[in-house]
Amino acid sequence: MFTAIDVSTSGLVAQRARINTIAGNLANLSTTHNEQGEAKPYQPRFVTFQADPNIGGEQGAAGVRVDSVQISNIEPVWKYQPGHPDALKKGEHAGYVAYPGIDMTMEMVDAIEASRAYEANLGVIQVSKSLTAQSLKIVA
C-alpha cells in the first residue's frame, strides 16, 4: 500500500520540477540577455526523467526522479527592431533582435500535461489512503 504512495510521491516531485521549468521558460519569453549579461537570448530548459528502482521496493514497482534539467540549443527568433538597444549593428542580422525560441503554445500544452500528471498522482495517493482506511476497518 505504501509502495503506491511512494511511487506517486516521486511522480509529484518530478512533475513539480517540470512545471517550475516551464514557468521559468514562460517568464523568460522575451529575455534577450543571459545570466552573465551578454546579449544572448535565454535558452529554454526542459526536464528529463529517469526510473528510480529505489522507490517502490521489491514488488517490481519503480518511482521516477528528475535526471537533469537540460538547456535546449534552439535557434533564436529574430525580430526586426532597429531602435532596440539589443539590435545588432552589423552583419547578416543587422537591425534584428534575438529573442528566445520559445513556443508559448507548446509550453502551455506541456504545463497542462504536467498538471494533469500531477493530479493523477494525487488521485492515486487518495485511493491508496482510502484502501488503507477500508482495510483497517475490516481488520479491526
Side-chain angles (χ1 to χ4, degrees):
M1 200 61 66
F2 294 111
T3 300
I5 292 174
D6 291 340
V7 171
S8 293
T9 301
S10 73
L12 291 174
V13 171
Q15 294 303 330
R16 183 185 66 208
R18 185 175 171 205
I19 290 170
N20 287 340
T21 303
I22 292 167
N25 288 343
L26 291 173
N28 287 292
L29 198 59
S30 59
T31 302
T32 58
H33 289 83
N34 64 12
E35 294 86 5
Q36 290 79 29
E38 301 167 334
K40 291 183 178 177
Y42 174 83
Q43 291 293 314
R45 275 78 168 151
F46 62 94
V47 177
T48 58
F49 298 142
Q50 183 174 2
D52 190 350
N54 296 327
I55 300 172
E58 301 171 4
Q59 300 170 352
V64 66
R65 66 179 177 86
V66 174
D67 184 38
S68 65
V69 177
Q70 303 279 330
I71 296 176
S72 177
N73 289 327
I74 194 164
E75 282 293 315
V77 175
W78 294 96
K79 294 183 182 177
Y80 186 69
Q81 297 175 320
H84 194 284
D86 293 330
L88 296 178
K89 305 299 183 222
K90 56 186 173 186
E92 177 185 351
H93 295 288
Y96 285 84
V97 178
Y99 285 97
I102 299 172
D103 184 355
M104 188 183 336
T105 305
M106 286 307 298
E107 293 292 328
M108 292 303 295
V109 169
D110 286 346
I112 292 169
E113 181 183 355
S115 175
R116 296 289 190 254
Y118 192 92
E119 290 171 2
N121 282 303
L122 281 176
V124 170
I125 290 172
Q126 291 296 335
V127 168
S128 295
K129 284 175 30 181
S130 176
L131 286 172
T132 302
Q134 293 298 321
S135 297
L136 289 174
K137 282 183 183 178
I138 292 171
V139 173

